[in-house]
Amino acid sequence: MDEDSYKAAYARINTAPCAFEKGILSLKCKCEYQHMFRLADRHGVACQDAVMQQKCSGFLDHLRKQTRFVFKIPIDGPLPHNKEIKVQAGGMLGMQKLLLENNQGEVVENIAGLLRRAIELYGDLDNIPYTRVMPDVTAYQVRQKRKRTPR
């Protein structure tokens, strides 16, 4: 399947893409509304709740805006793959640490639950203290590429 055909099929199948798909596929995040699927030899993640999908997208936009100084690149939408994983997984791990005091977990168990708790505590996504989340974004290590050994 060529890349254009794949993207067209993906758009038809996944009408509600998860904003944190890269974080979920990297096995660092989970969500109560995630729906995993396979297309060709790849995995995808859809969201099963339209309201939460909007909240997650809004939160991810805030995270991207906050990281524009950290990465020193203009940010208008998704970042390059590894930087996007840092923002998604590192950002959610930072939120988990912020909201679940003294939590040093390496996997976010429920993205939606964390965002509901953040909105409950801070009233709005705009009021979250992103400066306390950013150290976890910058510290997050994306898995290194494996070296292939000749057979």
Side-chain angles (χ1 to χ4, degrees):
M1 174 179 274
D2 71 21
E3 195 63 22
D4 291 335
S5 297
Y6 172 81
K7 287 180 181 178
Y10 183 91
R12 276 194 315 276
I13 291 170
N14 193 2
T15 57
C18 173
F20 287 91
E21 182 175 53
K22 290 184 188 328
I24 290 172
L25 292 177
S26 70
L27 305 177
K28 291 297 181 179
C29 299
K30 298 176 188 173
C31 184
E32 66 190 88
Y33 298 117
Q34 75 185 37
H35 169 69
M36 304 280 287
F37 64 91
R38 288 184 60 104
L39 175 61
D41 61 346
R42 302 184 200 179
H43 296 268
V45 183
C47 183
Q48 297 177 321
D49 185 278
V51 173
M52 190 52 68
Q53 182 191 29
Q54 292 300 311
K55 288 179 183 177
C56 287
S57 293
F59 176 68
L60 185 56
D61 287 342
H62 280 288
L63 282 176
R64 286 182 185 135
K65 287 176 189 169
Q66 295 295 317
T67 58
R68 72 176 175 248
F69 300 110
V70 173
F71 296 143
K72 297 177 182 152
I73 57 173
I75 297 171
D76 262 346
L79 297 162
H81 183 74
N82 281 346
K83 290 192 181 347
E84 188 70 23
I85 291 174
K86 279 182 79 94
V87 170
Q88 290 184 20
M92 288 312 303
L93 287 166
M95 281 294 292
Q96 182 169 268
K97 192 185 297 181
L98 173 71
L99 298 172
L100 305 177
E101 300 170 21
N102 299 321
N103 183 302
Q104 301 297 322
E106 293 185 25
V107 175
V108 172
E109 293 298 325
N110 188 3
I111 294 168
L114 284 178
L115 290 183
R116 281 193 299 269
R117 183 172 172 102
I119 291 168
E120 184 180 294
L121 285 173
Y122 299 107
D124 191 77
L125 295 175
D126 295 332
N127 300 330
I128 294 171
Y130 289 96
T131 55
R132 292 179 55 200
V133 175
M134 286 303 106
D136 291 283
V137 172
T138 57
Y140 184 79
Q141 295 293 312
V142 177
R143 183 182 70 146
Q144 298 295 317
K145 279 188 175 183
R146 292 184 214 155
K147 292 185 179 181
R148 294 187 177 173
T149 56
R151 292 184 183 208

